[in-house]
Amino acid sequence: EVQLRESGGGSVQPGGSLILSCAASGFAFSRSTMTWHRQVPGKERELVAGITDSGDMTRYADSVKGRFTISRNNVKNTVYLQMNNLKPEDTAVYYCGAPNLPVPSGGYLDFWGQGTLVTVSS
């Protein structure tokens, strides 16, 4: 069973930092691209950052470039999102994602964690 468990969310003042963690199990983590997405009520879930299986390539939304860093530890099966210089508009539920995982039926599915709330407010 695929499991993604986020942790590290909370409340922080503008300009502050948080680090999110996502512990993964039940699939070949070291061979899987991983992502962080976020969602606010009434809006679609948006990609924040992605990282390839080996960690050699990363991708960021324009709104977080230079402030957020995605990384992974393939020994600990964990992906991280370091968030610096947080802004009120970063307030959202953040989800860890494992896209396009093969499933026994022969197809592919996207898997998500339960989400962790990040609130940026003074």
Side-chain angles (χ1 to χ4, degrees), residues 93-111:
V93 177
Y94 284 72
Y95 296 91
C96 173
N100 297 320
L101 294 184
V103 293
S105 63
Y108 295 85
L109 288 177
D110 297 342
F111 289 85

Side-chain angles (χ1 to χ4, degrees), residues 18-66:
L18 283 174
I19 183 165
L20 305 183
S21 300
C22 172
S25 62
F27 65 101
F29 179 82
S30 64
R31 296 199 298 270
S32 303
T33 292
M34 297 296 296
T35 64
W36 284 99
H37 284 68
R38 67 187 181 187
Q39 189 170 23
V40 298
K43 293 188 177 181
E44 292 188 357
R45 192 171 297 186
E46 64 170 352
L47 176 69
V48 174
I51 187 167
T52 53
D53 53 0
S54 64
D56 61 343
M57 293 182 65
T58 57
R59 173 187 175 186
Y60 297 93
D62 287 343
S63 58
V64 307
K65 282 181 181 177

Side-chain angles (χ1 to χ4, degrees), residues 56-120:
D56 61 343
M57 293 182 65
T58 57
R59 173 187 175 186
Y60 297 93
D62 287 343
S63 58
V64 307
K65 282 181 181 177
R67 301 188 297 121
F68 290 12
T69 303
I70 188 171
S71 62
R72 64 190 297 158
N73 184 322
N74 284 350
V75 174
K76 295 183 176 181
N77 283 9
T78 302
V79 61
Y80 306 94
L81 186 68
Q82 173 71 50
M83 304 185 294
N84 297 327
N85 191 21
L86 282 160
K87 303 177 180 181
E89 51 263 41
D90 295 318
T91 296
V93 177
Y94 284 72
Y95 296 91
C96 173
N100 297 320
L101 294 184
V103 293
S105 63
Y108 295 85
L109 288 177
D110 297 342
F111 289 85
W112 303 96
Q114 80 286 352
T116 185
L117 177 63
V118 172
T119 303
V120 185

